[in-house]
Amino acid sequence: MRYLTIDEALNRGSGAVNLRGWVYRERKSNKFVFIVLRDESDIIQCVISKEKNPELFEEATKLTIESSVRLTGELKKDDRAPTGYEISPVSDLEVIQIADPFPITAEQSLELLYDNRHLWLRSRKLNAVLKVRHCVVGAIHEFFRSRGYYLFDAPIFQPIQSEGGATLFEVKYFEDDKIYLSQTWQLYAEAAIFSLGKIYNMGPTFRAEKSKSSRHLAEFWMAEMEAAWMKLDEVTEVAKDEVRFIIQEVLKHNRKEIEILQRDIDLLERYAKEEYPTIKYSEALDILANEYQMHVPWGKDLRTIEEGKIGEYFNVPVVVTHYPTKIMGFYKPPSEDKPEEALCFDMLAPEGYCEIIGGSERSLLVNDMIKRLEAEGEDPTKYEWYFDLRKYGSVPHSGYGLGVERVVSWICGLDNIKDAIAFPRTMTRKNP
Ligand code: 4AD
Ligand code: MG
């Protein structure tokens, strides 16, 4: 017996088909049982008639939400059915398992949905998001591979920090030692570019963010790149091309998901083709002051609310460069003409999604880095291997990291980043 997915059946358009899946919705009357069948590809209404098949009707009346079935029937066009087609009549029905009462019903608290995440994954919304995520991840690999970047894997257990000690996850390392979970791939990537030139990676990243915001996860996936010889003005253009490419791929492969998520496709099409501006941090402050009467003193980091306004002002992703050196990580170099400005950038997405990428040129100034590490309370001797990279054929180089869930969240128009990953980990959620 050959089974079609619902999507394959819909493409066929008519005739007898064998399907298998789960009961997404069911409705019973005296004469008919209507079930909406769900599989990985779509949903379709299936009609079981008492008059035509009393035994099947009897069997079908026992079906509950999420029961698993195999069935055979005639595929027909019917404008009243949810997807424009239905299976009518069902001529054969095999019940695989009658599901217990499903804990997720129409009106649910968010907490209950997160507690039942292992079951909620079956929802049309999460199914659509996971498919978009699949496409985004594939697009990132393709983007870098097709441009001559090598995949390079760094350790997840790391003995030093690079993005601030406050968000480190410390783990016991054998008997009486400790180590940290990776906050970034970057430092190891900086070693590898001397061998491989241009590299990229996508991997799990850990930050003990003591934040209940809708944009922070404790475990997320970061897609990073690093390239020898590359300067700030070039790396920002790679980042823009990457984001446009990701959106183009989603538009190519995920039309159906965009519709299910009710995401504005015109907006995505605009993001896929328009130029993204680059401005300096100081220009961002001017825009905030002049357009929004928000007076951020020079030297303060942009908060979410301010990033949001910059995103609103441009209405496409915008690259902001030259943040104040003193609030940046030790590896972001001071610019030569204005050392108070660092050669770094963030990309801010519009519609309130804010920072999706962070990156920079990398400092080649060992003494400056030592001072800044000391100021952060770090022991610079632990960074000797990293400083070696400045001693043996040092070259200018740059890189950035893109938050996969931040991008999926934005592309899908999600309210919370937790829905951009299957099993979210945050300060207040580690189950299931
Ligand atoms: O800006 P960040 O901290 O940059 C770095 O870690 C650099 N070392 C990357 C590099 O240059 N190779 O993080 C990069 C991106 C952010 O722009 C954001 O999109 C995402 O990672 N990100 C998070 N996403 C979800 N939850 C969190 N807690 C995140 N922290 C950062
Ligand atoms: Mg950042």
Side-chain angles (χ1 to χ4, degrees):
M1 186 89 92
R2 181 164 140 60
Y3 289 91
L4 299 181
T5 65
I6 294 170
D7 195 41
E8 286 166 344
L10 290 172
N11 282 334
R12 191 177 281 191
S14 66
V17 292
N18 304 311
L19 302 175
R20 53 192 167 188
W22 295 266
V23 175
Y24 181 63
R25 285 199 287 265
E26 47 83 28
R27 186 161 57 85
K28 292 160 189 137
S29 72
N30 293 336
K31 293 184 182 159
F32 298 100
V33 173
F34 298 92
I35 62 174
V36 176
L37 186 75
R38 168 185 81 68
D39 71 5
E40 65 272 30
S41 68
D42 212 326
I43 56 173
I44 191 165
Q45 175 162 285
C46 306
V47 186
I48 298 119
S49 151
K50 184 174 187 178
E51 194 184 298
K52 287 195 183 128
N53 208 326
E55 273 161 44
L56 280 197
F57 179 84
E58 196 54 39
E59 191 73 357
T61 55
K62 299 177 198 149
L63 289 173
T64 53
I65 297 290
E66 287 303 315
S67 292
S68 42
V69 297
R70 286 195 276 250
L71 59 80
T72 302
E74 277 295 306
L75 177 68
K76 289 201 184 104
K77 208 166 163 38
D78 187 320
D79 294 335
R80 291 163 306 173
T83 42
Y85 284 86
E86 64 179 17
I87 305 291
S88 180
V90 171
S91 55
D92 202 2
L93 172 73
E94 184 188 356
V95 178
I96 309 299
Q97 196 246 336
I98 296 283
D100 285 4
F102 201 56
I104 300 176
T105 53
E107 298 296 320
Q108 289 299 347
S109 76
L110 268 181
E111 277 315 290
L112 187 131
L113 289 176
Y114 284 116
D115 287 341
N116 285 290
R117 188 68 164 197
H118 54 299
L119 302 175
W120 189 22
L121 288 185
R122 308 171 183 201
S123 67
R124 292 205 93 199
K125 175 179 166 181
L126 284 185
N127 173 281
V129 172
L130 291 172
K131 286 175 181 168
V132 171
R133 183 182 169 113
H134 163 84
C135 180
V136 167
V137 167
I140 291 170
H141 282 289
E142 193 184 329
F143 177 82
F144 286 114
R145 282 169 180 258
S146 65
R147 283 164 183 75
Y149 288 71
Y150 290 105
L151 176 77
F152 171 75
D153 292 319
I156 297 292
F157 280 148
Q158 297 183 3
I160 51 176
Q161 66 91 11
S162 43
E163 301 299 328
T167 62
L168 277 177
F169 271 109
E170 192 178 302
V171 200
K172 186 170 176 289
Y173 198 65
F174 297 106
E175 285 313 301
D176 41 30
D177 203 356
K178 61 177 191 184
I179 200 154
Y180 309 112
L181 295 181
S182 173
Q183 286 177 313
T184 176
W185 156 97
Q186 179 194 322
L187 301 195
Y188 293 90
E190 287 185 63
I193 52 155
F194 291 88
S195 171
L196 295 171
K198 299 194 292 184
I199 56 179
Y200 82 100
N201 184 268
M202 188 163 7
T205 308
F206 304 88
R207 297 209 187 161
E209 304 274 7
K210 289 166 199 80
S211 153
K212 288 182 191 157
S213 87
S214 57
R215 305 172 52 249
H216 288 93
L217 292 164
E219 177 183 310
F220 62 99
W221 287 65
M222 209 201 292
E224 298 182 78
M225 63 73 75
E226 193 74 30
W229 310 107
M230 206 175 268
K231 306 276 267 184
L232 184 65
D233 58 347
E234 200 181 338
V235 80
T236 53
E237 298 312 300
V238 177
K240 293 175 188 176
D241 286 344
E242 181 187 356
V243 171
R244 275 192 295 257
F245 181 75
I246 292 170
I247 297 174
Q248 285 159 15
E249 287 294 295
V250 169
L251 285 167
K252 206 189 285 174
H253 299 289
N254 297 109
R255 293 274 161 173
K256 199 155 147 184
E257 286 70 38
I258 294 169
E259 202 179 303
I260 290 169
L261 295 165
Q262 299 178 339
R263 183 65 167 120
D264 185 338
I265 198 147
D266 297 337
L267 265 182
L268 293 182
E269 281 181 344
R270 213 157 58 61
Y271 301 150
K273 55 175 189 270
E274 282 194 10
E275 285 298 321
Y276 303 167
T278 298
I279 59 166
K280 282 187 160 190
Y281 162 86
S282 54
E283 293 172 66
L285 296 196
D286 291 343
I287 292 168
L288 289 170
N290 299 337
E291 304 293 328
Y292 299 99
Q293 287 72 53
M294 294 169 100
H295 301 279
V296 181
W298 196 99
K300 268 195 76 186
D301 208 353
L302 299 181
R303 294 172 304 168
T304 308
I305 177 160
E306 289 133 10
E307 287 185 352
K309 291 295 179 200
I310 298 297
E312 179 186 312
Y313 182 76
F314 288 102
N315 220 357
V316 285
V318 50
V319 165
V320 181
T321 63
H322 297 85
Y323 284 80
T325 310
K326 65 177 181 193
I327 53 165
M328 291 290 112
F330 73 95
Y331 60 78
K332 293 182 182 170
S335 71
E336 262 171 46
D337 46 339
K338 275 195 184 166
E340 66 277 18
E341 294 179 343
L343 299 175
C344 65
F345 77 101
D346 276 359
M347 186 188 288
L348 312 179
E351 302 174 80
Y353 287 93
C354 302
E355 182 189 339
I356 52 172
I357 291 181
S360 73
E361 269 185 40
R362 312 312 190 183
S363 178
L364 307 178
L365 311 169
V366 173
N367 288 336
D368 180 66
M369 288 195 278
I370 289 176
K371 261 193 247 146
R372 290 163 74 180
L373 279 168
E374 279 170 348
E376 285 180 39
E378 292 299 324
D379 174 3
T381 61
K382 290 189 189 156
Y383 294 75
E384 288 300 337
W385 68 266
Y386 183 70
F387 299 144
D388 271 356
L389 308 173
R390 276 62 176 168
K391 295 180 191 160
Y392 302 101
S394 185
V395 289
H397 59 286
S398 301
Y400 63 82
L402 170 151
V404 172
E405 291 77 12
R406 292 262 177 102
V407 167
V408 169
S409 201
W410 166 52
I411 292 179
C412 293
L414 303 178
D415 293 334
N416 196 306
I417 195 167
K418 284 194 281 189
D419 289 341
I421 189 163
F423 291 98
R425 300 289 177 252
T426 65
M427 186 165 82
T428 53
R429 162 92 31 209
K430 59 179 161 55
N431 290 313

